[in-house]
Amino acid sequence: MNVVSRGIKNATRSPLRGGAIVLMLAISIGLVLSMMVARSSVQTKINDVLASAGTKVTINAAGINGFAGGGNPLTADNVTTIKNTAHVASISSTLTDQLGSTDTNLQSSLELGSFGERQNRFSDGSVPTPPADSTSNGSSTTTDRQTMRSRINVTGTTNPNVASVNGGTLVIGSGKTIDGNSSDLVALIGQNLATKNNLSAGSTFTAYGKTITVNGIYSTDNSFTDNGIIMPLATVQNLTGQPGAVTSVVATIDSSENVDSTVSALKSKLGSSVDVTSEAAQAENSVSALKGIASLSLAGVIGAAIAATAIILLAMILIVRERRREIGVLKAIGGSNFKVIGQFVVESLTITIIGAVVGLALGVLVSGPMTTALASSSSNSSTVIISNGSGSTATVARPAGDFGGFGRGLNQLRTNITNVTASLTPQIFLSAMGITLAVAIIGSLLPAWLIARIRPAEVLRTE
Amino acid sequence: MLAVKNLTKTFNTPGGDVMALRDINFAVDRGQFVSIIGKSGSGKSTLLSMLGALDTPTSGSLEVDGVDLAKLSSRQQTSYRAKTIGFVFQQYNLIPNLSALENVMLALEFGGTKPASRRDEATRLLKQVGLDEQEIQRKPTRLSGGQQQRVAIARAIANSPALILADEPTGNLDSETGQKIFDLLHKLSRSKNTTIIAVTHDLDIAGKTDKTFMLKDGKITTKQ
């Protein structure tokens, strides 16, 4: 029997009370561990998402969003300015247009449907058409609408891969790709449009009064995108009579560290005639909900650690007060402060260690579901943020035909954010054990001080 | 062996200073059995605290074998309590979650006895005060008052102290058991030449000791 064995024995002196203290400690320590796991996992995901955000910056003509809005496209001078801006490694330019039934012999693969009809309630001349039943020959208008089809989207680009849904290389099912920097009358045709019009590589079709050769058929598994035509930028500029004009430029920055400064420089040089957005900024917005969860988890760790400390502290103060006489007796029969305090510290450590073992086991069990629950709530939040923050881009412009890896990249980011996986690393486990040890030590300090202050004479005076 | 000279103890209380002991003077020889009698509040327990180095006097000196207890450091006082003094309390004050054997081993540990010999020594002491093999394994709550006091006495003599201080050692016992405990203490003082100072209300017991001091209002009024 020595200080250590007495301390351990004292820890089990009152099984009911000891059990209650251990249970409360276990819950707190379990919460510490699961919150640490959640924080670490969310933080890792934030870093992954930000790292995968890439270095692309999109410059759109102000007021133009896909085929919506109005204003003037970017000029050749604008493009040159962008290209010459410091840290811009490369650019890909895009000019978008739509083909109506009078512009081409192709038929759209997309039915108008009620949505399309709603969007086409304006006439081709952009003057709102009165509702069918209010016109003088309403029956005729109704018939016309029933036969209407959606327009075909044309993308003139220096980089055909901008049409790729996932931001990677565009999948060419048959034929070959086009040279985006040429001015040849060649095109890539979306799979659905090709099927609808019986086109294959080598076929020709008519658009803008010219005969254009199909170089290849691309497929994106996206019905809207696969109803499009991709041609070299200069070709579309020539065919539409807009030499040098582009609707958007995607600039690749040489380093992620330079994205912010380059965005600022572009805004400064191009002024209010353009809208400049970066993937990094979008990703930053997207992970804001996750950052909130990370902060919440950190607060949870701190709160649970404080709670654990308070539990052991109050329990030990209670025990010391209850055993004042016993402490006095120990001192009276020759027990030194060191030995008496040591005995109570061991008791505190024993209770904390038992609580830690149970709590860490509890934490291992619940950290996975808890992280999943937190990430799930965060993914709901982040979806809302994406819709609100860039809704005009994600919801309106995309259907209008804004091909671009930038938007696809955002979709990928959105997917990434929802995939938070709880991982309990040895470092987290050791940290949790360190916190537990700190809890035991801090929780023993005040009781130790109280023990040192107890004078045996005061206790014996009550005899 | 024990010399108390001009011992005074004053407590500061919210109601003003209270003088618990006033200019106490007495001496005790080695091996003597001394009793101190007095009413409640007369200063008996305070005097015992001074003798046991549990408290320090306000003035005066208190020498045990030539060592002034008032001048000992805190560490020296702890050592003095462990090796030179043995306490026997009215309420026994055994550690409740330790067995009789472990209670005695605790005193041996504080006194510096090596771990290997503590168990045997504690067993010998407990048998010496009259407990059998089964009783020494029991916790205090499973022992009678007389048995608990025997354990307390075994604990008090564990380190062969020069001085045993007993505060109402028979106060919680019936007269027959009290007599047995008194006889045990008396036998110890004779067989081991241990000085025993016992505070008691029991005049029968007081009458059988070598010396009796009567304490009244913090002063010794009678010496026999």
Side-chain angles (χ1 to χ4, degrees), chain A residues 194-418:
Chain A
T195 303
K196 178 74 179 176
N197 295 279
N198 297 318
L199 294 175
S200 59
S203 304
T204 58
F205 65 92
T206 305
Y208 304 108
K210 300 284 185 182
T211 299
I212 297 166
T213 305
V214 177
N215 257 28
I217 310 297
Y218 69 84
S219 175
T220 62
D221 288 334
N222 179 295
S223 298
F224 179 83
T225 309
D226 286 351
N227 184 51
I229 301 171
I230 302 172
M231 290 194 281
L233 174 64
T235 305
V236 176
Q237 286 173 335
N238 292 338
L239 292 174
T240 58
Q242 302 177 91
V246 298
T247 46
S248 73
V249 175
V250 176
T252 303
I253 311 304
D254 57 4
S255 160
S256 57
E257 285 81 23
N258 296 325
V259 170
D260 287 344
S261 63
T262 308
V263 167
S264 299
L266 287 169
K267 284 180 178 175
S268 172
K269 286 182 178 180
L270 299 171
S272 59
S273 62
V274 301
D275 293 325
V276 183
T277 51
S278 70
E279 278 186 357
Q282 294 287 352
E284 193 72 35
N285 288 336
S286 300
V287 298
S288 62
L290 284 180
K291 284 185 173 176
I293 296 297
S295 301
L296 188 68
S297 303
L298 181 61
V301 170
I302 295 169
I306 290 172
T309 306
I311 288 166
I312 193 68
L313 186 70
L314 293 175
M316 290 311 295
I317 288 173
L318 196 71
I319 287 170
V320 167
R321 285 181 65 85
E322 192 179 88
R323 297 194 204 149
R324 272 181 79 86
R325 175 183 290 267
E326 185 178 318
I327 292 165
V329 171
L330 289 170
K331 289 186 176 184
I333 64 173
S336 64
N337 264 336
F338 179 78
K339 283 199 170 184
V340 180
I341 289 171
Q343 178 183 314
F344 278 80
V345 168
V346 169
E347 182 172 347
S348 165
L349 275 173
T350 304
I351 292 171
T352 309
I353 287 169
I354 296 171
V357 169
V358 178
L360 292 175
L362 198 67
V364 169
L365 289 176
V366 304
S367 57
M370 186 174 285
T371 303
T372 306
L374 285 172
S376 170
S377 67
S378 106
S379 70
N380 292 337
S381 308
S382 65
T383 301
V384 171
I385 285 168
I386 286 169
S387 296
N388 291 342
S390 58
S392 58
T393 300
T395 314
V396 178
R398 203 70 63 223
D402 182 13
F403 292 122
F406 181 79
R408 314 299 192 263
L410 280 182
N411 284 338
Q412 189 62 42
L413 286 178
R414 202 181 311 178
T415 306
N416 284 346
I417 289 166
T418 61

Side-chain angles (χ1 to χ4, degrees), chain A residues 1-3 6 9-10 13 325-326 329-336 339 455-457 460-461 463, chain B residues 11 49 54-55 78 81-82 87 89-91 93 95-98 102 105-107 109-110 118 155 167:
Chain A
M1 185 65 61
N2 53 32
V3 169
R6 273 200 304 282
K9 192 168 184 176
N10 277 342
R13 193 159 161 172
R325 175 183 290 267
E326 185 178 318
V329 171
L330 289 170
K331 289 186 176 184
I333 64 173
S336 64
K339 283 199 170 184
R455 298 167 64 220
L460 297 180
R461 200 168 289 134
E463 277 285 301
Chain B
F11 293 107
S49 295
L54 302 179
D55 208 345
T78 300
R81 287 197 295 266
F87 274 105
F89 306 101
Q90 181 180 353
Q91 302 287 349
N93 280 337
I95 307 301
N97 71 322
L98 301 182
E102 289 167 338
M105 287 170 68
L106 184 64
E109 178 192 328
F110 292 159
R118 283 179 204 160
R155 183 178 68 181
D167 189 5

Side-chain angles (χ1 to χ4, degrees), chain A residues 113-131:
Chain A
S114 60
F115 179 79
E117 282 187 23
R118 169 78 187 161
Q119 302 308 313
N120 283 279
R121 70 190 186 279
F122 304 105
S123 72
D124 287 343
S126 78
V127 177
T129 305

